[in-house]
Amino acid sequence: MDNFILNKENEIYYECGYSCDNAIYLQIGDEKYFITDGRYTLDALENAKAQVITTKTLLKTTREIILKKRVKTLIIDPLNWDYESFVSLHQVTHLTKQANYSHKKRIIKTPNELDIIKKAVKLGADAFEEFKNEIKIGDDEYELSYKFKEKLTNRGKRELSFEPIVAINQNSAKPHAVVSDNKLQKNDILLLDAGIKYKRYCSDRTRSIAINENLSMSKTQIFQNKEYQKIYDIVLQAQEKALNAIKVGMKISELDKIARDFITQAGYGKYFVHSLGHGVGLDIHELPYVNSTNDTIIQEGMVFTIEPGIYLPDKFGVRIEDMVCINYDSKVEIL
Amino acid sequence: MDNFILNKENEIYYECGYSCDNAIYLQIGDEKYFITDGRYTLDALENAKAQVITTKTLLKTTREIILKKRVKTLIIDPLNWDYESFVSLHQVTHLTKQANYSHKKRIIKTPNELDIIKKAVKLGADAFEEFKNEIKIGDDEYELSYKFKEKLTNRGKRELSFEPIVAINQNSAKPHAVVSDNKLQKNDILLLDAGIKYKRYCSDRTRSIAINENLSMSKTQIFQNKEYQKIYDIVLQAQEKALNAIKVGMKISELDKIARDFITQAGYGKYFVHSLGHGVGLDIHELPYVNSTNDTIIQEGMVFTIEPGIYLPDKFGVRIEDMVCINYDSKVEIL
């Protein structure tokens, strides 16, 4: 078994079923240590599948355990540790640097994780539907975002996966739009990108919807504005082509190519400015990244987004995003 | 002038008036570089008082500038940089490690910063008052927290300084309580700790209030429960003694001693489990820390909290917190 050390909440939670904002997790062979301060001792004892060590000086105590256990080598993710802490650990053992060590472990979800993620996606999708009834002409993006978050979090009882994107017309042309006082008008396009957490696992979804009498959160959208409709249809077809192509055994980069080639042939390649998608799990961005260079083979237990987009600067943008899971019978399920 | 490099949002904002979640700020003599990716170029050009460099590879571009400008030495905060990035910079110049480099610069606020902070505190205090009218018997902590945040953020138009603490009775005995489904009843004690951001500067305030017909967010509280009242009065007197003692030229550790000695003499020293306060500015926790070991001299331009507390495990807790600013006429102002 690997000896390894972690300091990120989700990475620690994945190993022992508990985490808090001040902890180090150390695994030496089959011995597991959860090192934290007194504020979290009781919760940790109740929830962490590991030996709980309480200390005011986490790093010092960790060093002492490493020395006492005569640890010869320890895997560490050099991207997760500040320079001082890394050097401090390096003084007491040999550190084996493995970038994305935890993310690599987590790329294949267990059946139980898939069930939790499906439930998260369901709750997230329900919130989109509930929000539909709250959308009012004249609302600005702040107000729309506020009401959207009320539904997404069930009035604060659930966490968001990330700060939602709520963007009208020109603002939707920015892939990472920030809410503004833009007011919603009839026949606008409204881009909504949001997710929630269920049992700490994330959902993620984007809809670009037509503002008219028949609001819908489905992917069938009828725009008054012909250019909106044209771009929307290209993005939707690009997404469908990628979704239909997914199968176990193929390189994930092929999916990006399928969507990108379609958008490029339609003449909008340079306006599809990001990669096709990303893995989702405890973190909102996980492996596998769905881009043109990632030749990871699609396997059972993977979960990722397919989210092509076209962004016409100062005009508008369209993005359509769904999560996909590869079930253990090799079936591809669009969540 | 110092050569230095920064990667934290508030630290960068302090130097050049703009920041975003993917940027490096490099200052070489009087040359200032804001290095970011294409998503932020336009906003940066408009707002950053620095030369804006757009790149997909921030660290690589930063290294190139360092080499081109033949930088001999660069101040860096080793706590802010991951090991890999630190080592990468170290390959191209001599790094001078200065922990808390930016925080140390920011310990003395300018008159303009003091004005912004006072406004933040005013808006935060107003939100406490507005929330008072929303508190209902039977609400659980989730619902109270949700309504409190509605007022604090003005329905999402302002940012919180931190996730508010909303804790009833036993839950208030935890200095860092997490909201639960505890329901509010008559004669309860309700601890509220929250702040908002105005022009990026934080406010911070705590009130422990009696739930009765005459809800008040002032520090005058009348509890039915005699033990609540006894502890409340001790904490309030401890705070008043510390507040009254503040003056330019004294060691800040003396304030902690004044409040702690009073609580200890009252027999509750071991239940005052944290330090007396902390500086506030762009970050919610800044220098100077108000604790028993910090011998920093109180000076004009400092802003910090005074927040004694007594926490009786499994029973209840009381904390009273106000921010204090030392004006440029040496007058101490309780905000």
Side-chain angles (χ1 to χ4, degrees):
Chain A
M1 274 180 110
D2 286 348
N3 296 335
F4 60 94
I5 187 163
L6 305 173
N7 65 349
K8 297 288 173 204
E9 280 211 44
N10 283 337
E11 302 189 354
I12 294 174
Y13 176 81
Y14 183 75
E15 299 295 337
C16 72
Y18 178 71
S19 71
C20 61
D21 70 2
N22 192 33
I24 291 176
Y25 178 86
L26 179 65
Q27 188 158 324
I28 303 169
D30 54 6
E31 290 179 37
K32 302 168 178 194
Y33 298 93
F34 187 93
I35 302 149
T36 188
D37 70 63
R39 293 174 295 169
Y40 302 108
T41 307
L42 289 177
D43 284 350
L45 283 168
E46 199 171 316
N47 299 298
K49 292 178 201 73
Q51 191 177 330
V52 176
I53 313 271
T54 303
T55 171
K56 282 183 181 176
T57 51
L58 274 64
L59 200 64
K60 186 165 169 281
T61 300
T62 304
R63 281 166 51 114
E64 287 163 5
I65 298 171
I66 291 170
L67 285 169
K68 191 175 151 207
K69 294 284 168 182
R70 297 164 192 267
V71 176
K72 291 218 176 59
T73 180
L74 198 59
I75 294 169
I76 190 167
D77 187 334
L79 302 171
N80 286 350
W81 293 78
D82 69 80
Y83 178 77
E84 292 282 273
S85 302
F86 187 98
V87 168
S88 172
L89 291 167
H90 196 49
Q91 286 163 354
V92 294
T93 189
H94 177 261
L95 297 175
T96 306
K97 290 186 278 176
Q98 289 196 19
N100 296 314
Y101 173 73
S102 173
H103 272 134
K104 283 177 184 165
K105 281 181 156 185
R106 286 149 51 196
I107 189 169
I108 303 298
K109 274 69 179 171
T110 64
N112 182 47
E113 286 181 291
L114 293 184
D115 287 345
I116 294 171
I117 290 169
K118 287 175 190 178
K119 174 83 175 175
V121 173
K122 170 77 169 63
L123 292 170
D126 289 350
F128 272 72
E129 287 298 329
E130 289 166 23
F131 171 56
K132 191 178 72 178
N133 306 317
E134 304 297 325
I135 297 173
K136 300 276 175 289
I137 298 293
D139 283 347
D140 65 14
E141 289 171 357
Y142 287 108
E143 181 63 13
L144 290 167
S145 172
Y146 191 80
K147 294 193 292 193
F148 195 17
K149 288 191 275 189
E150 177 170 356
K151 298 304 182 188
L152 288 161
T153 67
N154 191 19
R155 285 183 79 80
K157 290 187 184 62
R158 275 194 301 255
E159 277 186 61
L160 299 167
S161 301
F162 55 92
E163 185 65 21
I165 294 173
V166 175
I168 301 167
N169 300 350
Q170 292 91 334
N171 209 16
S172 66
K174 299 175 185 166
H176 291 270
V178 172
V179 285
S180 74
D181 56 8
N182 289 343
K183 282 191 169 58
L184 192 70
Q185 306 297 339
K186 204 179 165 219
N187 298 326
D188 281 354
I189 183 166
L190 174 63
L191 188 148
L192 302 167
D193 184 352
I196 60 104
K197 291 188 187 182
Y198 172 69
K199 295 190 177 176
R200 300 185 66 134
Y201 284 79
C202 295
S203 77
D204 196 0
R205 169 176 297 237
T206 305
R207 291 291 179 265
S208 301
I209 68 168
I211 300 304
N212 56 34
E213 290 72 26
N214 302 303
L215 291 182
S216 165
M217 290 294 174
S218 80
K219 292 196 273 188
T220 306
Q221 295 290 332
I222 314 289
F223 294 89
Q224 190 79 15
N225 179 313
K226 290 213 167 64
E227 194 179 15
Y228 290 1
Q229 192 72 52
K230 179 183 170 193
I231 299 298
Y232 187 87
D233 291 343
I234 295 167
V235 173
L236 182 58
Q237 284 183 71
Q239 199 214 23
E240 283 171 349
K241 283 182 188 294
L243 289 172
N244 290 332
I246 302 170
K247 61 174 188 288
V248 168
M250 78 190 286
K251 290 179 184 171
I252 204 155
S253 56
E254 291 179 51
L255 299 178
D256 186 284
K257 181 166 164 49
I258 288 166
R260 199 168 303 276
D261 283 355
F262 182 81
I263 289 173
T264 301
Q265 280 154 25
Y268 293 93
K270 74 171 185 164
Y271 301 108
F272 178 18
V273 293
H274 53 69
S275 55
L276 185 64
H278 55 85
V280 182
L282 290 165
D283 288 325
I284 184 63
H285 294 129
E286 293 204 350
L287 300 176
Y289 288 101
V290 189
N291 60 35
S292 61
T293 58
N294 184 0
D295 288 343
T296 297
I297 301 298
I298 296 173
Q299 293 168 70
E300 292 174 357
M302 285 184 174
V303 176
F304 49 84
T305 69
I306 297 291
E307 49 176 313
I310 294 176
Y311 309 90
L312 303 181
D314 300 321
K315 294 175 88 178
F316 67 97
V318 169
R319 179 168 65 255
I320 305 171
E321 174 187 34
D322 289 281
M323 280 170 60
V324 172
C325 108
I326 317 296
N327 285 319
Y328 274 83
D329 57 2
S330 284
K331 287 224 175 82
V332 176
E333 184 175 349
I334 301 168
L335 304 182
Chain B
M1 276 181 110
D2 285 348
N3 296 335
F4 61 92
I5 187 163
L6 305 173
N7 66 350
K8 297 289 173 202
E9 280 212 44
N10 282 337
E11 301 189 353
I12 294 174
Y13 176 81
Y14 183 75
E15 298 295 337
C16 72
Y18 178 70
S19 71
C20 61
D21 70 1
N22 193 33
I24 291 176
Y25 178 86
L26 179 65
Q27 189 159 325
I28 303 170
D30 55 5
E31 290 179 38
K32 301 168 179 195
Y33 298 92
F34 187 94
I35 301 150
T36 188
D37 70 63
R39 292 173 297 168
Y40 303 107
T41 307
L42 290 177
D43 284 349
L45 284 169
E46 201 170 314
N47 299 297
K49 291 178 202 74
Q51 193 176 328
V52 176
I53 313 271
T54 303
T55 172
K56 283 183 181 176
T57 51
L58 273 64
L59 200 64
K60 185 164 170 283
T61 300
T62 304
R63 281 166 50 113
E64 286 163 4
I65 297 171
I66 290 170
L67 285 169
K68 191 174 151 206
K69 293 285 168 181
R70 298 164 191 266
V71 176
K72 290 218 177 58
T73 180
L74 198 58
I75 294 169
I76 190 167
D77 187 334
L79 303 171
N80 286 350
W81 293 78
D82 69 81
Y83 179 79
E84 290 284 272
S85 303
F86 187 98
V87 168
S88 171
L89 291 168
H90 196 49
Q91 287 163 353
V92 294
T93 189
H94 178 262
L95 296 176
T96 306
K97 290 186 278 176
Q98 289 195 19
N100 296 313
Y101 173 73
S102 173
H103 272 134
K104 282 177 185 167
K105 279 181 156 184
R106 285 149 53 196
I107 189 170
I108 304 299
K109 275 67 180 173
T110 64
N112 182 47
E113 286 181 291
L114 293 185
D115 286 346
I116 294 171
I117 290 170
K118 287 175 190 179
K119 174 83 173 175
V121 173
K122 170 77 168 64
L123 292 169
D126 288 351
F128 272 70
E129 288 298 329
E130 289 166 23
F131 171 57
K132 190 178 71 179
N133 305 317
E134 304 297 326
I135 297 172
K136 300 277 177 289
I137 297 294
D139 284 347
D140 65 13
E141 289 171 358
Y142 287 109
E143 181 64 14
L144 290 168
S145 172
Y146 191 80
K147 294 193 291 191
F148 195 17
K149 288 192 275 189
E150 176 171 354
K151 298 304 182 188
L152 288 161
T153 66
N154 190 18
R155 286 183 77 82
K157 291 186 182 62
R158 276 196 299 256
E159 277 186 60
L160 298 168
S161 301
F162 55 92
E163 185 66 20
I165 295 173
V166 175
I168 301 167
N169 300 350
Q170 292 91 333
N171 208 15
S172 67
K174 300 176 185 165
H176 292 269
V178 172
V179 286
S180 74
D181 56 7
N182 289 342
K183 283 193 168 59
L184 192 70
Q185 306 298 337
K186 202 177 167 219
N187 298 327
D188 281 352
I189 183 165
L190 174 63
L191 188 150
L192 302 167
D193 184 352
I196 60 104
K197 291 189 188 182
Y198 172 69
K199 294 189 177 177
R200 300 184 69 131
Y201 284 78
C202 295
S203 77
D204 195 0
R205 168 176 298 235
T206 305
R207 292 290 179 265
S208 300
I209 68 169
I211 301 303
N212 55 34
E213 290 72 27
N214 301 302
L215 290 182
S216 166
M217 291 294 174
S218 79
K219 292 195 273 189
T220 305
Q221 296 290 331
I222 313 290
F223 294 89
Q224 191 79 15
N225 180 313
K226 290 214 169 62
E227 194 180 15
Y228 290 1
Q229 191 72 51
K230 180 184 169 191
I231 299 298
Y232 186 86
D233 290 343
I234 295 167
V235 173
L236 182 58
Q237 282 184 70
Q239 199 213 23
E240 283 171 351
K241 282 181 189 296
L243 289 172
N244 290 332
I246 302 169
K247 59 175 190 285
V248 168
M250 77 190 287
K251 290 179 184 171
I252 205 154
S253 55
E254 292 178 51
L255 299 177
D256 186 283
K257 182 168 166 43
I258 289 166
R260 199 166 302 276
D261 283 355
F262 182 80
I263 289 173
T264 301
Q265 280 154 27
Y268 294 93
K270 75 169 185 166
Y271 301 108
F272 178 17
V273 293
H274 52 69
S275 55
L276 184 64
H278 55 84
V280 182
L282 290 165
D283 288 325
I284 184 63
H285 294 129
E286 295 205 349
L287 300 177
Y289 287 101
V290 190
N291 59 34
S292 61
T293 58
N294 184 1
D295 288 343
T296 298
I297 301 299
I298 296 175
Q299 293 168 69
E300 292 174 355
M302 285 184 174
V303 176
F304 49 85
T305 69
I306 297 291
E307 49 176 314
I310 294 176
Y311 309 90
L312 302 182
D314 299 322
K315 294 175 86 179
F316 68 97
V318 170
R319 180 168 63 255
I320 305 172
E321 174 187 33
D322 289 281
M323 281 171 59
V324 172
C325 110
I326 317 296
N327 284 318
Y328 274 83
D329 57 3
S330 285
K331 288 224 175 84
V332 176
E333 185 174 348
I334 301 167
L335 304 181

